[in-house]
Amino acid sequence: MELELYKAFVKQQREEYFSKDKPYDLIYRQFEKGDFTKQSEDYFLSNASEVIDVLRRESWHEFQTKEHQFTSKMLSSLYSESDIEKMSSSEAIAWFVEKFPMHIYSLNLSNTQSRRSRAGKEFEAIIELILIGADIPMDSQGNIGKKFFIDKGLGKLVDIVSPGSVEYVLNKRDTILISAKTTLRERWQEVPEEMGRTGAREMFLVTLDDNISKEVIENLNDANIQVVTTKSLKEKKYSAYNSVISFEKLLAILKETAVKWTDFNYSDESKAEIVKNVEKQIEKHSSHPFVVDYYQRYLHKFQ
C-alpha cells in the first residue's frame, strides 16, 4: 500500500475503531467503576487529587490495551501470509522493517498525536466530573461549544467557567475561568495572551505537568494566572511556590465564588439562557446518568 493511502487508511480505521470509546465515555466508565458516582460532595472536596490520579491511571491502562490491538491490526494490514510464508521469523521481521519503515513511522506518529489529543479531552472530562461531584455550577466549552465561548468573550483556551457563561457576562469579577492542559511546554504563553482578551482579573491553569520551570511559574503569577495541580505534585515539585495550589484549594475557591450568586436577581432573559445552556448539556450527556442528574437538579433552580 502506498504511504499516502496508508495514512488515509489508518485515519479512517482509527475513527471507526475508537468511535464507540470517546474520551468522555472512557473516563465516565472508570468513574463508575471506581464507585465515584456514589460519593458525597465532601468526598470530592477533600479527595479530588486522588480521584484525578485514579481516573488517569485506570483510563490509561484500558486505552493502552485497545491501542496495542489497533496498532497490531494496522501493521498486519501491510502484508499477507504469502509474503512471509517461506521466511523464518527473524527473516520476516527484517523484511518487514526494511520494506515499510515510513509506514511504521507514520503509524507511530499518528498514535502519538491521537494519544495527546485524547489525553487533553480525558483530562477535561475528569475535571468536569469532579466539579459535578462537588456540586459546583459551571459551563463547559466541550458541552456548549467553542463558538459559543468565543462569542461570549471567553476565548478558545477557557475550558470551564463557573458559575457559568451568563454570570461571566453579568459580572466578570465574580466568575472563575479554568483552562486545562495536561502539559504546558511552550503553550503556556498562550494563556496570558488569551486572558488579556477576556478582560478577566485572573485565571486558573489546571495541569499535570511535573516539570514547570520557576520562570514560567513566576511569569504566570505575574499575569494573575494560578497553576493548579494534584496534592502529590504540589508537594513533590512545587511546594516552594505559593502561587501553585492544589485542586482541592481550587474547589474551595469555586465554592466560595458560587455562594456570591445564591441570591442574585437574574432577569428572565438571563434565566432563559441558563436553562438553554443546561438543557444543551443534559442532551449531550444523555448516556451519563450521574451528569444528567446533576444538571437536572441545577435546572430546577431556574424554572
Side-chain angles (χ1 to χ4, degrees), residues 48-81:
S49 294
E50 180 183 346
V51 177
I52 292 173
D53 290 337
V54 170
L55 293 179
R56 288 273 296 175
R57 182 179 65 248
E58 297 304 318
S59 62
W60 168 243
H61 287 165
E62 183 176 339
F63 175 75
Q64 193 174 37
T65 298
K66 191 159 187 176
E67 186 185 60
H68 285 170
Q69 295 169 347
F70 175 76
T71 300
S72 177
K73 179 181 177 182
M74 292 301 96
L75 291 174
S76 297
S77 69
L78 290 170
Y79 69 93
S80 64
E81 289 298 323

Side-chain angles (χ1 to χ4, degrees), residues 15 18 20-21 45 51 66 75 85 100 102 105 111 115 122 130 142 186 212 216 223 238 248 257 283 303:
E15 290 173 355
F18 292 101
K20 296 181 180 179
D21 205 17
L45 292 173
V51 177
K66 191 159 187 176
L75 291 174
E85 60 183 354
F100 301 109
M102 293 308 298
Y105 172 78
N111 282 346
R115 200 181 300 137
E122 288 171 5
I130 290 174
E186 70 283 352
I212 311 173
V216 170
Y238 309 114
E248 285 77 5
T257 300
E283 181 180 359
Q303 289 181 324

Side-chain angles (χ1 to χ4, degrees), residues 154-171:
L154 284 159
K156 61 182 180 180
L157 294 182
V158 175
D159 296 298
I160 291 172
V161 54
S162 177
S165 55
V166 169
E167 287 84 357
Y168 172 78
V169 172
L170 293 171
N171 184 356

Side-chain angles (χ1 to χ4, degrees), residues 256-272:
E256 292 171 2
T257 300
V259 170
K260 298 177 181 179
W261 294 88
T262 301
D263 297 319
F264 187 82
N265 186 23
Y266 291 91
S267 67
D268 290 342
E269 183 181 1
S270 293
K271 286 181 180 180

Side-chain angles (χ1 to χ4, degrees), residues 15 19 39 46 121 126 166 174 189 246 249 258 299:
E15 290 173 355
S19 62
Q39 296 294 349
S46 301
K121 293 175 182 177
I126 290 171
V166 169
D174 287 338
Q189 299 176 41
S246 69
K249 175 63 175 176
L299 190 62

Side-chain angles (χ1 to χ4, degrees), residues 180-193:
K181 291 182 181 294
T182 51
T183 58
L184 301 189
R185 298 187 183 90
E186 70 283 352
R187 295 178 303 167
W188 69 269
Q189 299 176 41
E190 301 173 354
V191 182
E193 294 171 1

Side-chain angles (χ1 to χ4, degrees), residues 1 23 106 114 168 170 200 217 219 227 244 257:
M1 189 185 300
S106 175
S114 174
Y168 172 78
L170 293 171
I217 291 173
N219 284 337
V227 175
V244 178
T257 300

